[in-house]
Amino acid sequence: MTSVAIHWFRQDLRLADNPALSKAVEAGRLLPIYILDDDTAGEARMGGASRWWLHRSLEALDRQLGGKLRLYRGKAEEILPQLVKIYDAQTVSWTRCYEPWRIKRDKTISSRLELAGCRTIRLNGSLLWEPWSIKKQDGTPYKVFTPFYRKGCLQAPAPAMPMAAPHSIAFCAAKANDGALSLGDLGLLSKIGWHDTLEPYWEVSEKGGADCLAQFIDGGLDGYKTGRDFPSLAHISRLSPYLHFGQLSPNQVWHATERLAEDQGVPAADIDHFRSELAWREFSYSLLYYNPDLPSVPIQAKFADFEWQSDEALLKAWQSGLTGVPIVDAGMRELWQTGYMHNRVRMIVASFLIKNLRIDWRQGEAWFWDTLVDADLANNAASWQWVAGCGADAAPFFRIFNPVLQAEKFDPEGIYIRTFVPELAKLPNKYLARPWEAPSSTLQEAGVTPGESYPNPVVDLKHSREMALEAYKRLSEG
Ligand code: FAD
């Protein structure tokens, strides 16, 4: 084989079930590359936690590729044509991405390469269904999740069966002076060393993704439908970063749940519910595809005039997990310590920020973007708009989570709160979610000094709820 095929890895950092990579391997001697393109990403450039995950991912992928992965930094639009020239490549392949800036950039790149006589292979490897393939009968996109899933996804052709990794790969010899950098040169790790706290929680590799999936199928899926709401139970998969970075494909996850009801007696309701959550991811991508401004502009236009409060001190208290509301603080500290937060708690902390503190949802979205290892433009933006009540098929604004009742319902033994807010560990369950109501003797016995060892609540929950409802009323009437 004399021709050269470049596979441009992006959010498909795996060898198995990677159709675009497999095509490149068939087309020629492979030059596997990754380009860190912050220049084109602009405001959508990756946050700190994602950069750590990417660093570890590239390290692992390079090992899988026998040290052949080439790394570059700069505008992909300039680097790719240069590499095609240097290596005289006849083919460039990639797995599609759906962020608006990437769609725009990739179109320009493919036209440029094709014009120069280089074939481009662009395939789906990150979604179960292409966003444009799930539409209503009248050709317009779905705005409501349930029909999107039941009438759209489940009536569409089933997700493709996952492919094996290429049996063997013939590599193209790398050339010196092609602009490649070392992993360290990409500068993905933060100078403050925050990533050290994330390390113990994740095995960042394709194998890590496969192990995580196997573990969930073995022990977490049975009971998922109800268990997924309880943050101290292992009934969630924690697959989101692997899906975002493509260490696992959604097809692999979908098909891993095939026949589990028949063969292993996993309740069909759990499997169906889990698959519907995978479809929420598809729904977010559809929303982003048809609303490219989703990360910054409310889908429901009237929310552009909402009276947000600007309060740096309150924002900081929320970010640091020092609001004095234990379930909120537990969630924000889980995020900081692990780069992940349980979905139920994400909804609680987001509701608290938006409704009790009345801080603009985009400030919360930005913090999540920087600190989540699964930060994903589509899922993050769609979810923040959902909680803010300004998105498509969103929870209505006036449905305001009560963080105390949520904690008592979904963390009844206080296991989650005690894990992440250890200074309250000795409080009895009765007061754990509402320490401000505890008698001083109880606080003393538990070693809690309000305002010193643990903050007093930064807002009064009842009053702030009423203020939010009034602001919403003014918006609706205005
Ligand atoms: P599981 O319950 O095991 O679900 C399996 C997979 O389904 C997930 O990995 C994910 O890919 C998908 N999924 C599950 N729930 C949702 C959902 N509500 N919306 C979209 N996809 C879903 N998810 C991200 O991947 N990236 C984000 O940046 C992100 N930001 C969020 C911000 C807020 C305010 C909220 C409320 C939710 C956000 N989510 C985000 C959605 C959801 O919380 C996570 O996908 C989920 O918690 C990941 O954990 P898991 O893999 O254990 O989920």
Side-chain angles (χ1 to χ4, degrees), residues 216 224 228 235-241 243-244 253 274-282 284 340-350 368-369 372-387:
F216 172 67
Y224 176 79
R228 66 184 285 275
H235 283 297
I236 36 112
S237 69
R238 298 172 71 93
L239 288 173
S240 45
L243 283 166
H244 172 76
V253 180
F274 179 65
R275 285 184 163 185
S276 77
E277 292 303 327
L278 292 175
W280 269 102
R281 178 172 179 267
E282 305 282 313
S284 300
Y340 175 90
M341 194 195 301
H342 186 278
N343 179 62
R344 165 71 37 191
V345 191
R346 289 187 203 205
M347 293 193 286
I348 298 170
V349 304
F368 271 30
W369 181 255
L372 277 172
V373 287
D374 65 20
D376 181 282
L377 203 65
N379 277 352
N380 200 31
S383 301
W384 276 96
Q385 290 225 20
W386 186 88
V387 181

Short mmCIF file of all heavy atoms in Angstrom, two decimals, residues 216 224 228 235-241 243-244 253 274-282 284 340-350 368-369 372-387, ligand 1:
data_model
loop_
_atom_site.label_atom_id
_atom_site.label_comp_id
_atom_site.label_asym_id
_atom_site.label_seq_id
_atom_site.Cartn_x
_atom_site.Cartn_y
_atom_site.Cartn_z
N PHE A 216 -21.25 -1.38 34.84
CA PHE A 216 -22.62 -0.87 34.95
C PHE A 216 -23.63 -1.94 34.51
O PHE A 216 -24.65 -2.16 35.17
CB PHE A 216 -22.76 0.39 34.08
CG PHE A 216 -24.18 0.89 33.99
CD1 PHE A 216 -24.83 1.40 35.11
CD2 PHE A 216 -24.88 0.85 32.78
CE1 PHE A 216 -26.15 1.86 35.03
CE2 PHE A 216 -26.18 1.32 32.69
CZ PHE A 216 -26.82 1.81 33.82
N TYR A 224 -31.97 0.60 37.55
CA TYR A 224 -31.60 1.94 37.07
C TYR A 224 -32.76 2.93 37.15
O TYR A 224 -32.59 4.07 37.61
CB TYR A 224 -31.10 1.84 35.62
CG TYR A 224 -30.79 3.17 34.96
CD1 TYR A 224 -29.59 3.83 35.23
CD2 TYR A 224 -31.68 3.77 34.06
CE1 TYR A 224 -29.29 5.05 34.62
CE2 TYR A 224 -31.39 4.99 33.46
CZ TYR A 224 -30.19 5.62 33.74
OH TYR A 224 -29.90 6.82 33.15
N ARG A 228 -31.45 5.54 39.72
CA ARG A 228 -30.67 6.62 39.11
C ARG A 228 -30.88 7.97 39.78
O ARG A 228 -30.11 8.89 39.58
CB ARG A 228 -31.01 6.73 37.61
CG ARG A 228 -32.43 7.16 37.34
CD ARG A 228 -32.74 7.15 35.87
NE ARG A 228 -32.14 8.28 35.18
CZ ARG A 228 -32.68 9.48 35.08
NH1 ARG A 228 -33.87 9.73 35.62
NH2 ARG A 228 -32.07 10.44 34.43
N HIS A 235 -26.33 3.24 40.70
CA HIS A 235 -27.24 2.92 39.59
C HIS A 235 -27.16 3.93 38.46
O HIS A 235 -28.13 4.12 37.73
CB HIS A 235 -28.68 2.82 40.11
CG HIS A 235 -28.94 1.54 40.82
ND1 HIS A 235 -28.86 0.31 40.19
CD2 HIS A 235 -29.26 1.28 42.10
CE1 HIS A 235 -29.12 -0.64 41.07
NE2 HIS A 235 -29.35 -0.08 42.24
N ILE A 236 -26.03 4.56 38.33
CA ILE A 236 -25.79 5.38 37.14
C ILE A 236 -24.49 4.87 36.52
O ILE A 236 -23.69 4.23 37.19
CB ILE A 236 -25.70 6.89 37.46
CG1 ILE A 236 -25.01 7.11 38.80
CG2 ILE A 236 -27.06 7.55 37.49
CD1 ILE A 236 -23.72 7.72 38.73
N SER A 237 -24.34 5.16 35.23
CA SER A 237 -23.23 4.50 34.53
C SER A 237 -21.90 5.27 34.60
O SER A 237 -20.85 4.68 34.42
CB SER A 237 -23.59 4.31 33.06
OG SER A 237 -23.64 5.57 32.40
N ARG A 238 -21.93 6.58 34.79
CA ARG A 238 -20.74 7.44 34.70
C ARG A 238 -20.03 7.30 33.35
O ARG A 238 -18.81 7.42 33.24
CB ARG A 238 -19.76 7.14 35.85
CG ARG A 238 -20.34 7.40 37.21
CD ARG A 238 -19.45 6.92 38.32
NE ARG A 238 -18.26 7.72 38.46
CZ ARG A 238 -18.14 8.76 39.29
NH1 ARG A 238 -19.15 9.10 40.05
NH2 ARG A 238 -17.03 9.44 39.35
N LEU A 239 -20.83 7.05 32.32
CA LEU A 239 -20.24 6.89 30.99
C LEU A 239 -20.08 8.21 30.24
O LEU A 239 -19.48 8.25 29.16
CB LEU A 239 -21.13 5.95 30.14
CG LEU A 239 -21.10 4.48 30.53
CD1 LEU A 239 -22.13 3.69 29.73
CD2 LEU A 239 -19.70 3.89 30.31
N SER A 240 -20.66 9.29 30.80
CA SER A 240 -20.74 10.53 30.02
C SER A 240 -19.40 11.05 29.47
O SER A 240 -19.35 11.43 28.30
CB SER A 240 -21.46 11.61 30.83
OG SER A 240 -20.99 11.65 32.15
N PRO A 241 -18.30 11.05 30.25
CA PRO A 241 -17.07 11.56 29.63
C PRO A 241 -16.56 10.64 28.52
O PRO A 241 -16.01 11.12 27.52
CB PRO A 241 -16.08 11.64 30.79
CG PRO A 241 -16.65 10.81 31.88
CD PRO A 241 -18.12 10.76 31.68
N LEU A 243 -18.39 8.89 26.55
CA LEU A 243 -19.22 9.15 25.37
C LEU A 243 -18.85 10.48 24.73
O LEU A 243 -18.79 10.62 23.51
CB LEU A 243 -20.71 9.16 25.75
CG LEU A 243 -21.32 7.77 25.95
CD1 LEU A 243 -22.68 7.86 26.66
CD2 LEU A 243 -21.47 7.04 24.62
N HIS A 244 -18.57 11.47 25.57
CA HIS A 244 -18.22 12.78 25.01
C HIS A 244 -16.93 12.70 24.20
O HIS A 244 -16.85 13.22 23.10
CB HIS A 244 -18.09 13.84 26.11
CG HIS A 244 -17.56 15.13 25.55
ND1 HIS A 244 -18.34 15.99 24.81
CD2 HIS A 244 -16.30 15.65 25.52
CE1 HIS A 244 -17.60 17.00 24.39
NE2 HIS A 244 -16.37 16.81 24.80
N VAL A 253 -22.74 1.23 23.47
CA VAL A 253 -23.51 1.26 24.72
C VAL A 253 -24.93 0.73 24.46
O VAL A 253 -25.45 -0.12 25.19
CB VAL A 253 -23.56 2.69 25.30
CG1 VAL A 253 -24.37 2.72 26.58
CG2 VAL A 253 -22.14 3.21 25.55
N PHE A 274 -32.84 3.43 30.53
CA PHE A 274 -31.44 3.77 30.25
C PHE A 274 -31.28 4.21 28.78
O PHE A 274 -30.63 5.21 28.47
CB PHE A 274 -30.55 2.56 30.56
CG PHE A 274 -29.10 2.83 30.27
CD1 PHE A 274 -28.39 3.77 31.00
CD2 PHE A 274 -28.44 2.14 29.25
CE1 PHE A 274 -27.04 4.04 30.72
CE2 PHE A 274 -27.10 2.39 28.98
CZ PHE A 274 -26.41 3.34 29.71
N ARG A 275 -31.93 3.46 27.89
CA ARG A 275 -31.83 3.83 26.47
C ARG A 275 -32.46 5.21 26.23
O ARG A 275 -31.98 5.97 25.39
CB ARG A 275 -32.51 2.78 25.61
CG ARG A 275 -31.66 1.52 25.49
CD ARG A 275 -32.29 0.52 24.57
NE ARG A 275 -31.32 -0.48 24.14
CZ ARG A 275 -31.58 -1.42 23.25
NH1 ARG A 275 -32.77 -1.50 22.69
NH2 ARG A 275 -30.65 -2.29 22.91
N SER A 276 -33.52 5.50 26.97
CA SER A 276 -34.15 6.81 26.76
C SER A 276 -33.21 7.93 27.24
O SER A 276 -33.23 9.02 26.70
CB SER A 276 -35.51 6.89 27.45
OG SER A 276 -35.34 7.09 28.84
N GLU A 277 -32.37 7.63 28.22
CA GLU A 277 -31.40 8.66 28.65
C GLU A 277 -30.35 8.87 27.56
O GLU A 277 -29.91 10.00 27.32
CB GLU A 277 -30.73 8.29 29.97
CG GLU A 277 -31.67 8.31 31.17
CD GLU A 277 -32.37 9.65 31.40
OE1 GLU A 277 -31.78 10.70 31.11
OE2 GLU A 277 -33.53 9.64 31.85
N LEU A 278 -29.95 7.77 26.92
CA LEU A 278 -29.03 7.93 25.78
C LEU A 278 -29.69 8.80 24.71
O LEU A 278 -29.04 9.59 24.03
CB LEU A 278 -28.66 6.58 25.17
CG LEU A 278 -27.81 5.65 26.03
CD1 LEU A 278 -27.63 4.31 25.32
CD2 LEU A 278 -26.43 6.27 26.30
N ALA A 279 -31.01 8.64 24.61
CA ALA A 279 -31.74 9.44 23.60
C ALA A 279 -31.85 10.91 24.01
O ALA A 279 -31.97 11.78 23.16
CB ALA A 279 -33.12 8.85 23.37
N TRP A 280 -31.80 11.19 25.33
CA TRP A 280 -31.75 12.61 25.75
C TRP A 280 -30.50 13.26 25.19
O TRP A 280 -30.50 14.43 24.82
CB TRP A 280 -31.76 12.74 27.28
CG TRP A 280 -33.14 12.88 27.85
CD1 TRP A 280 -33.86 11.89 28.46
CD2 TRP A 280 -33.97 14.06 27.86
NE1 TRP A 280 -35.09 12.40 28.85
CE2 TRP A 280 -35.18 13.71 28.50
CE3 TRP A 280 -33.82 15.36 27.39
CZ2 TRP A 280 -36.22 14.63 28.68
CZ3 TRP A 280 -34.84 16.28 27.57
CH2 TRP A 280 -36.03 15.91 28.20
N ARG A 281 -29.44 12.49 25.14
CA ARG A 281 -28.20 13.03 24.55
C ARG A 281 -28.44 13.35 23.07
O ARG A 281 -28.04 14.40 22.57
CB ARG A 281 -27.10 11.97 24.72
CG ARG A 281 -25.76 12.34 24.13
CD ARG A 281 -24.69 11.32 24.53
NE ARG A 281 -23.40 11.66 23.94
CZ ARG A 281 -22.97 11.19 22.79
NH1 ARG A 281 -23.69 10.32 22.10
NH2 ARG A 281 -21.80 11.57 22.31
N GLU A 282 -29.15 12.45 22.38
CA GLU A 282 -29.45 12.69 20.96
C GLU A 282 -30.33 13.92 20.82
O GLU A 282 -30.16 14.73 19.91
CB GLU A 282 -30.19 11.47 20.37
CG GLU A 282 -29.47 10.16 20.55
CD GLU A 282 -28.32 9.95 19.58
OE1 GLU A 282 -28.51 10.20 18.38
OE2 GLU A 282 -27.22 9.53 20.03
N SER A 284 -30.47 16.52 22.81
CA SER A 284 -29.65 17.73 23.01
C SER A 284 -28.91 18.08 21.73
O SER A 284 -28.82 19.24 21.36
CB SER A 284 -28.60 17.50 24.11
OG SER A 284 -29.20 17.18 25.32
N TYR A 340 -17.18 15.36 38.11
CA TYR A 340 -18.48 14.76 37.76
C TYR A 340 -19.49 15.19 38.81
O TYR A 340 -19.12 15.49 39.94
CB TYR A 340 -18.33 13.24 37.75
CG TYR A 340 -19.62 12.46 37.52
CD1 TYR A 340 -20.02 12.11 36.24
CD2 TYR A 340 -20.42 12.08 38.60
CE1 TYR A 340 -21.20 11.40 36.03
CE2 TYR A 340 -21.60 11.37 38.40
CZ TYR A 340 -21.98 11.04 37.12
OH TYR A 340 -23.14 10.35 36.91
N MET A 341 -20.77 15.23 38.44
CA MET A 341 -21.81 15.39 39.45
C MET A 341 -23.00 14.55 39.01
O MET A 341 -23.32 14.48 37.82
CB MET A 341 -22.24 16.86 39.58
CG MET A 341 -23.06 17.16 40.82
SD MET A 341 -23.91 18.76 40.74
CE MET A 341 -22.58 19.89 40.52
N HIS A 342 -23.61 13.93 40.00
CA HIS A 342 -24.79 13.08 39.74
C HIS A 342 -25.91 13.91 39.10
O HIS A 342 -26.11 15.07 39.47
CB HIS A 342 -25.23 12.49 41.09
CG HIS A 342 -26.33 11.50 40.96
ND1 HIS A 342 -27.65 11.87 40.85
CD2 HIS A 342 -26.32 10.15 40.90
CE1 HIS A 342 -28.41 10.79 40.74
NE2 HIS A 342 -27.62 9.73 40.77
N ASN A 343 -26.64 13.32 38.17
CA ASN A 343 -27.65 14.08 37.43
C ASN A 343 -28.71 14.73 38.32
O ASN A 343 -29.06 15.89 38.14
CB ASN A 343 -28.34 13.16 36.41
CG ASN A 343 -29.41 13.89 35.64
OD1 ASN A 343 -29.13 14.86 34.94
ND2 ASN A 343 -30.66 13.47 35.80
N ARG A 344 -29.21 14.02 39.30
CA ARG A 344 -30.25 14.59 40.19
C ARG A 344 -29.69 15.82 40.89
O ARG A 344 -30.35 16.85 41.00
CB ARG A 344 -30.69 13.49 41.18
CG ARG A 344 -31.46 13.90 42.40
CD ARG A 344 -32.89 14.35 42.19
NE ARG A 344 -33.69 13.68 41.20
CZ ARG A 344 -34.89 14.13 40.79
NH1 ARG A 344 -35.43 15.21 41.33
NH2 ARG A 344 -35.56 13.50 39.86
N VAL A 345 -28.43 15.73 41.30
CA VAL A 345 -27.82 16.84 42.03
C VAL A 345 -27.50 18.00 41.07
O VAL A 345 -27.61 19.16 41.44
CB VAL A 345 -26.58 16.38 42.83
CG1 VAL A 345 -26.13 17.46 43.79
CG2 VAL A 345 -26.89 15.09 43.60
N ARG A 346 -27.16 17.66 39.82
CA ARG A 346 -26.96 18.73 38.83
C ARG A 346 -28.23 19.57 38.73
O ARG A 346 -28.20 20.79 38.66
CB ARG A 346 -26.64 18.15 37.44
CG ARG A 346 -25.28 17.53 37.34
CD ARG A 346 -24.93 17.13 35.89
NE ARG A 346 -23.92 16.08 35.93
CZ ARG A 346 -23.05 15.81 34.97
NH1 ARG A 346 -23.06 16.49 33.85
NH2 ARG A 346 -22.16 14.84 35.10
N MET A 347 -29.38 18.88 38.73
CA MET A 347 -30.64 19.62 38.61
C MET A 347 -30.88 20.49 39.85
O MET A 347 -31.34 21.62 39.75
CB MET A 347 -31.81 18.66 38.40
CG MET A 347 -31.75 17.93 37.06
SD MET A 347 -33.26 17.08 36.64
CE MET A 347 -33.24 15.69 37.74
N ILE A 348 -30.53 19.95 41.01
CA ILE A 348 -30.75 20.70 42.26
C ILE A 348 -29.85 21.94 42.32
O ILE A 348 -30.31 23.05 42.59
CB ILE A 348 -30.49 19.79 43.50
CG1 ILE A 348 -31.48 18.61 43.51
CG2 ILE A 348 -30.58 20.60 44.79
CD1 ILE A 348 -31.15 17.53 44.55
N VAL A 349 -28.56 21.75 42.01
CA VAL A 349 -27.65 22.92 42.13
C VAL A 349 -27.96 23.96 41.06
O VAL A 349 -27.81 25.17 41.29
CB VAL A 349 -26.14 22.53 42.08
CG1 VAL A 349 -25.78 21.51 43.15
CG2 VAL A 349 -25.72 22.02 40.71
N ALA A 350 -28.40 23.49 39.90
CA ALA A 350 -28.72 24.44 38.81
C ALA A 350 -29.97 25.23 39.18
O ALA A 350 -30.03 26.45 39.01
CB ALA A 350 -28.91 23.69 37.50
N PHE A 368 -19.79 24.84 34.85
CA PHE A 368 -19.83 23.41 34.52
C PHE A 368 -18.89 23.13 33.34
O PHE A 368 -18.21 22.11 33.31
CB PHE A 368 -21.26 22.99 34.14
CG PHE A 368 -22.11 22.55 35.31
CD1 PHE A 368 -21.92 23.07 36.58
CD2 PHE A 368 -23.13 21.61 35.14
CE1 PHE A 368 -22.72 22.67 37.66
CE2 PHE A 368 -23.92 21.20 36.20
CZ PHE A 368 -23.71 21.73 37.46
N TRP A 369 -18.89 24.03 32.39
CA TRP A 369 -18.06 23.84 31.20
C TRP A 369 -16.59 23.70 31.59
O TRP A 369 -15.85 22.90 31.05
CB TRP A 369 -18.25 25.02 30.23
CG TRP A 369 -17.46 24.90 28.97
CD1 TRP A 369 -16.33 25.58 28.65
CD2 TRP A 369 -17.74 24.00 27.88
NE1 TRP A 369 -15.87 25.17 27.41
CE2 TRP A 369 -16.71 24.20 26.92
CE3 TRP A 369 -18.72 23.06 27.61
CZ2 TRP A 369 -16.66 23.50 25.72
CZ3 TRP A 369 -18.67 22.35 26.42
CH2 TRP A 369 -17.65 22.57 25.50
N LEU A 372 -16.49 20.19 34.55
CA LEU A 372 -16.98 18.82 34.29
C LEU A 372 -16.03 18.07 33.36
O LEU A 372 -15.64 18.63 32.33
CB LEU A 372 -18.34 18.87 33.58
CG LEU A 372 -19.62 19.04 34.37
CD1 LEU A 372 -20.80 19.25 33.41
CD2 LEU A 372 -19.90 17.84 35.28
N VAL A 373 -15.75 16.82 33.66
CA VAL A 373 -14.98 16.03 32.69
C VAL A 373 -15.86 15.62 31.52
O VAL A 373 -15.35 15.25 30.46
CB VAL A 373 -14.31 14.78 33.30
CG1 VAL A 373 -13.12 15.14 34.16
CG2 VAL A 373 -15.29 13.90 34.06
N ASP A 374 -17.18 15.68 31.70
CA ASP A 374 -18.06 15.34 30.57
C ASP A 374 -18.64 16.59 29.89
O ASP A 374 -19.64 16.50 29.17
CB ASP A 374 -19.19 14.39 31.01
CG ASP A 374 -20.16 15.01 32.03
OD1 ASP A 374 -20.23 16.24 32.13
OD2 ASP A 374 -20.86 14.24 32.71
N ALA A 375 -18.01 17.77 30.14
CA ALA A 375 -18.55 19.02 29.58
C ALA A 375 -18.81 18.84 28.09
O ALA A 375 -17.91 18.49 27.33
CB ALA A 375 -17.57 20.16 29.82
N ASP A 376 -20.03 19.08 27.71
CA ASP A 376 -20.45 18.78 26.34
C ASP A 376 -21.38 19.92 25.90
O ASP A 376 -22.36 20.21 26.59
CB ASP A 376 -21.21 17.44 26.37
CG ASP A 376 -21.70 17.01 25.01
OD1 ASP A 376 -22.72 17.55 24.55
OD2 ASP A 376 -21.06 16.13 24.42
N LEU A 377 -21.01 20.57 24.81
CA LEU A 377 -21.74 21.79 24.44
C LEU A 377 -23.24 21.54 24.33
O LEU A 377 -24.05 22.32 24.83
CB LEU A 377 -21.20 22.33 23.10
CG LEU A 377 -21.43 23.81 22.87
CD1 LEU A 377 -20.67 24.67 23.87
CD2 LEU A 377 -21.05 24.22 21.45
N ALA A 378 -23.61 20.45 23.69
CA ALA A 378 -25.05 20.19 23.48
C ALA A 378 -25.74 19.84 24.79
O ALA A 378 -26.73 20.45 25.18
CB ALA A 378 -25.21 19.05 22.47
N ASN A 379 -25.20 18.86 25.50
CA ASN A 379 -25.86 18.41 26.75
C ASN A 379 -25.87 19.49 27.81
O ASN A 379 -26.85 19.65 28.54
CB ASN A 379 -25.12 17.19 27.33
CG ASN A 379 -25.57 15.90 26.68
OD1 ASN A 379 -26.51 15.88 25.90
ND2 ASN A 379 -24.87 14.83 26.98
N ASN A 380 -24.77 20.22 27.91
CA ASN A 380 -24.69 21.23 28.96
C ASN A 380 -25.67 22.37 28.68
O ASN A 380 -26.47 22.75 29.53
CB ASN A 380 -23.24 21.76 29.03
CG ASN A 380 -22.92 22.42 30.36
OD1 ASN A 380 -23.47 22.05 31.41
ND2 ASN A 380 -22.05 23.40 30.34
N ALA A 381 -25.64 22.86 27.46
CA ALA A 381 -26.52 23.99 27.12
C ALA A 381 -27.99 23.57 27.21
O ALA A 381 -28.81 24.28 27.81
CB ALA A 381 -26.19 24.49 25.72
N ALA A 382 -28.31 22.41 26.65
CA ALA A 382 -29.72 21.98 26.66
C ALA A 382 -30.19 21.76 28.09
O ALA A 382 -31.32 22.12 28.45
CB ALA A 382 -29.88 20.70 25.84
N SER A 383 -29.33 21.20 28.94
CA SER A 383 -29.74 20.91 30.31
C SER A 383 -29.91 22.20 31.12
O SER A 383 -30.85 22.31 31.91
CB SER A 383 -28.70 20.03 31.01
OG SER A 383 -28.54 18.82 30.31
N TRP A 384 -29.01 23.16 30.93
CA TRP A 384 -29.16 24.43 31.68
C TRP A 384 -30.44 25.14 31.23
O TRP A 384 -31.17 25.68 32.05
CB TRP A 384 -27.92 25.32 31.52
CG TRP A 384 -26.86 24.93 32.50
CD1 TRP A 384 -25.81 24.09 32.28
CD2 TRP A 384 -26.78 25.31 33.89
NE1 TRP A 384 -25.07 23.93 33.44
CE2 TRP A 384 -25.65 24.68 34.43
CE3 TRP A 384 -27.55 26.12 34.72
CZ2 TRP A 384 -25.26 24.82 35.77
CZ3 TRP A 384 -27.18 26.28 36.06
CH2 TRP A 384 -26.05 25.63 36.57
N GLN A 385 -30.70 25.11 29.95
CA GLN A 385 -31.94 25.75 29.48
C GLN A 385 -33.16 24.99 30.01
O GLN A 385 -34.19 25.59 30.31
CB GLN A 385 -31.98 25.78 27.95
CG GLN A 385 -30.98 26.73 27.34
CD GLN A 385 -31.57 27.58 26.22
OE1 GLN A 385 -32.77 27.75 26.09
NE2 GLN A 385 -30.70 28.13 25.39
N TRP A 386 -33.01 23.70 30.14
CA TRP A 386 -34.13 22.88 30.66
C TRP A 386 -34.44 23.30 32.10
O TRP A 386 -35.59 23.57 32.44
CB TRP A 386 -33.76 21.39 30.59
CG TRP A 386 -34.88 20.47 30.96
CD1 TRP A 386 -35.83 19.96 30.12
CD2 TRP A 386 -35.18 19.96 32.27
NE1 TRP A 386 -36.71 19.17 30.83
CE2 TRP A 386 -36.34 19.15 32.14
CE3 TRP A 386 -34.61 20.10 33.53
CZ2 TRP A 386 -36.92 18.48 33.23
CZ3 TRP A 386 -35.19 19.44 34.61
CH2 TRP A 386 -36.32 18.64 34.45
N VAL A 387 -33.40 23.38 32.93
CA VAL A 387 -33.63 23.76 34.33
C VAL A 387 -34.13 25.20 34.41
O VAL A 387 -35.02 25.53 35.20
CB VAL A 387 -32.36 23.59 35.20
CG1 VAL A 387 -32.65 23.97 36.65
CG2 VAL A 387 -31.86 22.15 35.16
P1 FAD B 1 -26.50 7.82 33.04
O1 FAD B 1 -27.73 8.05 33.83
O2 FAD B 1 -25.80 6.54 33.26
O3 FAD B 1 -26.94 7.97 31.51
C1 FAD B 1 -26.22 7.37 30.42
C2 FAD B 1 -25.86 8.41 29.40
O4 FAD B 1 -27.02 9.04 28.87
C3 FAD B 1 -25.02 9.56 29.95
O5 FAD B 1 -23.66 9.21 30.00
C4 FAD B 1 -25.31 10.68 28.97
O6 FAD B 1 -24.53 10.57 27.81
C5 FAD B 1 -26.77 10.42 28.61
N1 FAD B 1 -27.63 11.24 29.48
C6 FAD B 1 -28.13 10.91 30.69
N2 FAD B 1 -28.92 11.91 31.16
C7 FAD B 1 -28.89 12.88 30.22
C8 FAD B 1 -29.49 14.17 30.12
N3 FAD B 1 -30.32 14.66 31.06
N4 FAD B 1 -29.24 14.92 29.03
C9 FAD B 1 -28.44 14.46 28.04
N5 FAD B 1 -27.85 13.24 28.08
C10 FAD B 1 -28.06 12.47 29.16
N6 FAD B 1 -24.32 15.69 30.41
C11 FAD B 1 -23.17 15.68 29.71
O7 FAD B 1 -22.80 14.64 29.14
N7 FAD B 1 -22.39 16.79 29.61
C12 FAD B 1 -22.74 17.97 30.22
O8 FAD B 1 -22.01 18.96 30.07
C13 FAD B 1 -23.93 18.00 31.00
N8 FAD B 1 -24.30 19.11 31.67
C14 FAD B 1 -25.45 19.10 32.43
C15 FAD B 1 -25.83 20.26 33.10
C16 FAD B 1 -26.98 20.27 33.89
C17 FAD B 1 -27.40 21.53 34.60
C18 FAD B 1 -27.75 19.11 34.00
C19 FAD B 1 -29.00 19.10 34.84
C20 FAD B 1 -27.41 17.97 33.31
C21 FAD B 1 -26.26 17.94 32.51
N9 FAD B 1 -25.88 16.79 31.80
C22 FAD B 1 -24.72 16.80 31.06
C23 FAD B 1 -26.79 15.63 31.69
C24 FAD B 1 -26.60 14.52 32.74
O9 FAD B 1 -26.57 15.07 34.02
C25 FAD B 1 -25.35 13.70 32.50
O10 FAD B 1 -25.29 13.26 31.17
C26 FAD B 1 -25.31 12.47 33.42
O11 FAD B 1 -25.40 12.87 34.77
C27 FAD B 1 -24.05 11.70 33.19
O12 FAD B 1 -23.94 10.67 34.12
P2 FAD B 1 -24.03 9.15 33.71
O13 FAD B 1 -23.14 8.89 32.55
O14 FAD B 1 -23.81 8.36 34.93
O15 FAD B 1 -25.55 9.06 33.24
#
